Amino acid sequence: MHTPIRALAAATLAITTLGAQAAPSAVVPPTVQLGPRPFFLVDDMADSPLKTALQACAAGRKAYTRHDFAIGHRGASLQFPEHTRESYVAAARMGAGIVECDVVFTKDKQLVCRHAQDDLHTTTNILATPLAAKCVKPFTPATFDAAGNLLTPASASCRTSELTLAEFKTLRGKMDGYNPKARTVAEYMAGTPGWRTDLYSGPTSGTLMTHKESIELFKQLGVKMTPELKYPAVAMPFDGFTQEAYAQKLIDEYKAARVPPARVFPQSFYLPDIQYWVQNTAYGKQAVYLDDAATPADLPNAAELAGYKAQGINIVAPPIFALLTTDAAGNIVPSQYAKDAKAAGLDIISWSLERSGILADGNNGSYYQTFDSAIHREGDMLLVLDVLARQVGIRGMFSDWPATPAFYANCMK
C-alpha cells in the first residue's frame, strides 16, 4: 500500500521540479490524466446523439493523448494560479497540446509570464511584501457610507515594469482576483471567485516564470507554445526599448532555444505586432491575431477579414461569442463572422472555455452573450465545443481547464 504512494509522490515531484533538476532530454512528458470534470460534463448533458457518442468514448477509451485542439489558457487557470510552473504542468498533464505564456517585461527589460504588465496586485502576493512600496498605486481601502453601502472600491496597481527580474522572481502567484470591499490588504487579496479555488495557492506553490523558463519547461513537457505579447501599460519606447524590439525579443528567445517556428504560435491583440512578425520573421506564418471585440458590433466585417489574409495573417482568434448565434428554433449555430472568416481562408482559434463559472444559473457573461438563451446546464459546454469544432471548424480552443477540449478532441477526432 505504501509503495505505490511513494512512487506517485516521486513521479509528481519529478514533474513539478523538472525545470530545476533535469535536462530536457532526461524528462519524460507527463501521462495525460483528464480527471473527473470532462466526465461530469458528459453526464450533465441533455440526451442527444452527441452525449451518447461521448459516453461511449468515456466508457471504452483506456488512455488519452495530448492534442493541439486543447490550448492551456494561462496554463490550467481554473484552479491553479495563472502563468505559474504549477499551472503549466497541470495543463500539459490534462492533455493540452499547446500552452500559453502571456509576455510582459520588467524594469530591466526581461520578458516574464504575466497576463498584463499591471496585474501584479491581483495575480501575485506583492501587496503583502516589501515590494508593495514600488507599486504605481498603493493599496487604497474601500470606503462606505454610514449605512454600510460601498462608496469607492478598494484599489491598487502594481507593474512588472517597476521591478527588476530578480525582484519579480521573489513573488508568488495567486489566483487572479480581488475583493472590492476590502479594508485591508489581506481582505483585498482574498478575492478568488467562488467557482475557482485557492487550494493550489500556498506559500510553496505559485512559482513565477520568465519567458525563457517557460520555453524550456514547455520543451520538456512536449507541448507547443503560444506566447502572447501584451500591450505595455507604460509609454513606448520604454527606456529606449521600442515596441518592435519588444516583439523581436520574444522571437529571439525561441530562436536561441532552438524552437522551430512550427511549434510556436505568437499572438497579439495589437495588429502592428502581427504585421512585424509576418514581415520580418519565419514565426509570423503561425501568428495569431487576437480580436478584443466586446460586442458583436465591434467585430470586423467580411472585407476586413479578407484584408487580414491579404496581409499574410493566417489565424484569427476571436472570443467564443463572435463565432456563435442561435437560429429560429433556438439551436446554437455558426455566426456570420464565423462564415466570413472561413470564406476569407482564415484559420480560427477561440477563447476562452471554462472561464464563465456556473452555467446553469444563466447570465453567463461576455463569452456567451450571443447564444446564452440556449445554455441551460453545465453539460452544454460540450455542445458549444461541438458546434465550434464541427460546424465552425476551429483549429483550437483556449481553456482554463484544458482537460475538457482534450477529452472532446480525443473522442471526436
Side-chain angles (χ1 to χ4, degrees), residues 38 49 62 109 120 150 161 252 321 325 328 350 366 375:
K62 302 303 181 185
K109 307 183 190 68
L120 295 181
L150 181 65
S161 53
D252 287 345
F321 81 80
T325 186
S350 193
S366 173
I375 301 299

mmCIF file of all heavy atoms in Angstrom, residues 38 49 62 109 120 150 161 252 321 325 328 350 366 375:
data_model
loop_
_atom_site.group_PDB
_atom_site.id
_atom_site.type_symbol
_atom_site.label_atom_id
_atom_site.label_comp_id
_atom_site.label_asym_id
_atom_site.label_seq_id
_atom_site.Cartn_x
_atom_site.Cartn_y
_atom_site.Cartn_z
ATOM 1 N N PRO A 38 -14.360 16.398 -17.256
ATOM 2 C CA PRO A 38 -14.999 16.156 -18.555
ATOM 3 C C PRO A 38 -16.126 15.130 -18.476
ATOM 4 O O PRO A 38 -17.142 15.256 -19.174
ATOM 5 C CB PRO A 38 -13.847 15.653 -19.428
ATOM 6 C CG PRO A 38 -12.612 16.195 -18.784
ATOM 7 C CD PRO A 38 -12.903 16.171 -17.320
ATOM 8 N N PRO A 49 -27.546 12.594 -29.545
ATOM 9 C CA PRO A 49 -26.530 11.731 -30.158
ATOM 10 C C PRO A 49 -25.109 12.093 -29.720
ATOM 11 O O PRO A 49 -24.266 11.204 -29.570
ATOM 12 C CB PRO A 49 -26.739 11.970 -31.656
ATOM 13 C CG PRO A 49 -28.181 12.354 -31.779
ATOM 14 C CD PRO A 49 -28.464 13.170 -30.555
ATOM 15 N N LYS A 62 -9.319 3.707 -23.035
ATOM 16 C CA LYS A 62 -8.439 3.373 -21.915
ATOM 17 C C LYS A 62 -7.372 4.438 -21.653
ATOM 18 O O LYS A 62 -6.851 4.536 -20.550
ATOM 19 C CB LYS A 62 -7.747 2.027 -22.180
ATOM 20 C CG LYS A 62 -8.704 0.879 -22.401
ATOM 21 C CD LYS A 62 -9.653 0.682 -21.230
ATOM 22 C CE LYS A 62 -10.580 -0.499 -21.469
ATOM 23 N NZ LYS A 62 -11.588 -0.636 -20.389
ATOM 24 N N LYS A 109 13.991 45.125 -18.612
ATOM 25 C CA LYS A 109 13.640 44.689 -19.975
ATOM 26 C C LYS A 109 13.790 43.184 -20.180
ATOM 27 O O LYS A 109 14.128 42.720 -21.276
ATOM 28 C CB LYS A 109 14.466 45.451 -21.009
ATOM 29 C CG LYS A 109 14.398 46.973 -20.866
ATOM 30 C CD LYS A 109 15.194 47.649 -21.968
ATOM 31 C CE LYS A 109 15.365 49.139 -21.723
ATOM 32 N NZ LYS A 109 16.236 49.437 -20.564
ATOM 33 N N LEU A 120 -0.004 42.687 -11.153
ATOM 34 C CA LEU A 120 0.655 42.000 -10.044
ATOM 35 C C LEU A 120 -0.154 42.069 -8.749
ATOM 36 O O LEU A 120 -0.076 41.177 -7.910
ATOM 37 C CB LEU A 120 2.052 42.583 -9.797
ATOM 38 C CG LEU A 120 3.074 42.397 -10.920
ATOM 39 C CD1 LEU A 120 4.411 43.002 -10.512
ATOM 40 C CD2 LEU A 120 3.232 40.930 -11.280
ATOM 41 N N LEU A 150 -21.200 50.604 -0.242
ATOM 42 C CA LEU A 150 -19.890 50.857 -0.837
ATOM 43 C C LEU A 150 -19.898 52.171 -1.607
ATOM 44 O O LEU A 150 -20.743 52.398 -2.466
ATOM 45 C CB LEU A 150 -19.512 49.712 -1.781
ATOM 46 C CG LEU A 150 -18.152 49.811 -2.476
ATOM 47 C CD1 LEU A 150 -17.022 49.735 -1.467
ATOM 48 C CD2 LEU A 150 -18.012 48.701 -3.523
ATOM 49 N N SER A 161 6.996 46.410 -14.782
ATOM 50 C CA SER A 161 7.996 47.376 -15.232
ATOM 51 C C SER A 161 8.561 48.226 -14.106
ATOM 52 O O SER A 161 9.490 49.011 -14.334
ATOM 53 C CB SER A 161 7.398 48.291 -16.314
ATOM 54 O OG SER A 161 6.194 48.881 -15.862
ATOM 55 N N ASP A 252 13.337 36.171 -30.607
ATOM 56 C CA ASP A 252 14.738 35.810 -30.404
ATOM 57 C C ASP A 252 14.911 34.749 -29.325
ATOM 58 O O ASP A 252 15.826 33.917 -29.409
ATOM 59 C CB ASP A 252 15.557 37.055 -30.047
ATOM 60 C CG ASP A 252 15.773 37.983 -31.235
ATOM 61 O OD1 ASP A 252 15.548 37.554 -32.384
ATOM 62 O OD2 ASP A 252 16.159 39.152 -31.005
ATOM 63 N N PHE A 321 -18.188 34.207 -28.298
ATOM 64 C CA PHE A 321 -19.455 34.785 -28.723
ATOM 65 C C PHE A 321 -19.432 35.233 -30.180
ATOM 66 O O PHE A 321 -20.469 35.280 -30.856
ATOM 67 C CB PHE A 321 -19.852 35.955 -27.817
ATOM 68 C CG PHE A 321 -19.179 37.259 -28.130
ATOM 69 C CD1 PHE A 321 -19.622 38.066 -29.175
ATOM 70 C CD2 PHE A 321 -18.079 37.689 -27.398
ATOM 71 C CE1 PHE A 321 -18.994 39.274 -29.474
ATOM 72 C CE2 PHE A 321 -17.451 38.893 -27.682
ATOM 73 C CZ PHE A 321 -17.909 39.689 -28.732
ATOM 74 N N THR A 325 -24.249 31.954 -32.732
ATOM 75 C CA THR A 325 -25.514 32.643 -32.529
ATOM 76 C C THR A 325 -26.572 31.554 -32.390
ATOM 77 O O THR A 325 -26.250 30.368 -32.280
ATOM 78 C CB THR A 325 -25.810 33.609 -33.689
ATOM 79 O OG1 THR A 325 -26.978 34.361 -33.385
ATOM 80 C CG2 THR A 325 -26.005 32.882 -35.002
ATOM 81 N N ALA A 328 -33.732 30.226 -35.532
ATOM 82 C CA ALA A 328 -35.126 30.474 -35.156
ATOM 83 C C ALA A 328 -35.649 29.437 -34.182
ATOM 84 O O ALA A 328 -36.559 29.716 -33.386
ATOM 85 C CB ALA A 328 -35.990 30.499 -36.418
ATOM 86 N N SER A 350 -10.290 30.006 -30.754
ATOM 87 C CA SER A 350 -11.207 30.818 -29.951
ATOM 88 C C SER A 350 -10.839 30.774 -28.467
ATOM 89 O O SER A 350 -10.091 29.913 -28.015
ATOM 90 C CB SER A 350 -12.655 30.356 -30.147
ATOM 91 O OG SER A 350 -13.565 31.313 -29.624
ATOM 92 N N SER A 366 -19.871 37.693 -20.980
ATOM 93 C CA SER A 366 -19.461 38.091 -22.321
ATOM 94 C C SER A 366 -19.319 36.919 -23.280
ATOM 95 O O SER A 366 -19.779 36.987 -24.426
ATOM 96 C CB SER A 366 -18.142 38.854 -22.239
ATOM 97 O OG SER A 366 -17.627 39.122 -23.524
ATOM 98 N N ILE A 375 -28.257 28.106 -23.400
ATOM 99 C CA ILE A 375 -27.440 27.461 -22.376
ATOM 100 C C ILE A 375 -28.287 27.232 -21.123
ATOM 101 O O ILE A 375 -28.836 28.177 -20.546
ATOM 102 C CB ILE A 375 -26.208 28.321 -22.026
ATOM 103 C CG1 ILE A 375 -25.354 28.547 -23.276
ATOM 104 C CG2 ILE A 375 -25.380 27.672 -20.916
ATOM 105 C CD1 ILE A 375 -24.805 27.288 -23.896
#
